[in-house]
Amino acid sequence: MPERTLILLRHAKSDWSGMETDIRRPLAQRGRRQAPKAGRWLVANIDRIDLAILSPATRAQQTWELVAAELPAPPPTRIEERVYAASDRRLLAVVRDLTAEIDTVALVGHNPGVEECVYILTGQPVPMPTSALAVITWPGAWSDAAQQPATLRAHGRPPGATTPAR
């Protein structure tokens, strides 16, 4: 069975200055600068992404649009209602529902769920500020996620995302 790669990406910095509802809050200027850096990091460090799963929140979708604009071949995108304001367990359910022909997935969501999902998968506490990513791998099926500790391959806010000490 192939190795599965999950890229958890927290949306870039959002703009709190308007009167939008939480789900409609757009990216701030800083967020529009952050997101392309994540895309460039992915190009340099990830061979390919088969699918992007996005929260329906405006800031998550705008983050991915800016990330994907940096990719040579952006993957298909799926808006997933369950990702908005999701707990770690709900995010894990989304991951476990993925199909076998997909090997690498980028999931763009929100804290605290994203940070907690990294912990539930790897057993490692990793801070996930805006625009941070965590690259997590494990052998086996998507449905095996969190059955045994996965490997945290990289984490942090690009361009300085780091590979953990082994």
Side-chain angles (χ1 to χ4, degrees), residues 61-122:
Q61 293 180 45
Q62 288 176 337
T63 296
W64 183 252
E65 287 170 10
L66 292 167
V67 168
E70 300 293 326
L71 305 178
T77 301
R78 184 173 84 206
I79 307 299
E80 174 60 64
E81 298 293 326
R82 295 180 293 170
V83 175
Y84 177 66
S87 68
D88 55 353
R89 297 289 176 183
R90 183 175 282 184
L91 291 175
L92 188 57
V94 171
V95 169
R96 286 180 173 164
D97 285 347
L98 292 168
T99 58
E101 66 273 359
I102 297 168
D103 292 328
T104 302
V105 171
L107 191 152
V108 184
H110 313 270
N111 258 357
V114 168
E115 196 168 293
E116 293 167 352
C117 192
V118 173
Y119 182 76
I120 202 170
L121 288 167
T122 68

Side-chain angles (χ1 to χ4, degrees), residues 32 36 38-40 47 51 78-79 84 110 118 131 155 160 166:
R32 289 191 285 280
R40 289 189 290 276
D47 290 334
L51 176 67
R78 184 173 84 206
I79 307 299
Y84 177 66
H110 313 270
V118 173
S131 207
H155 65 88
R166 299 205 190 260

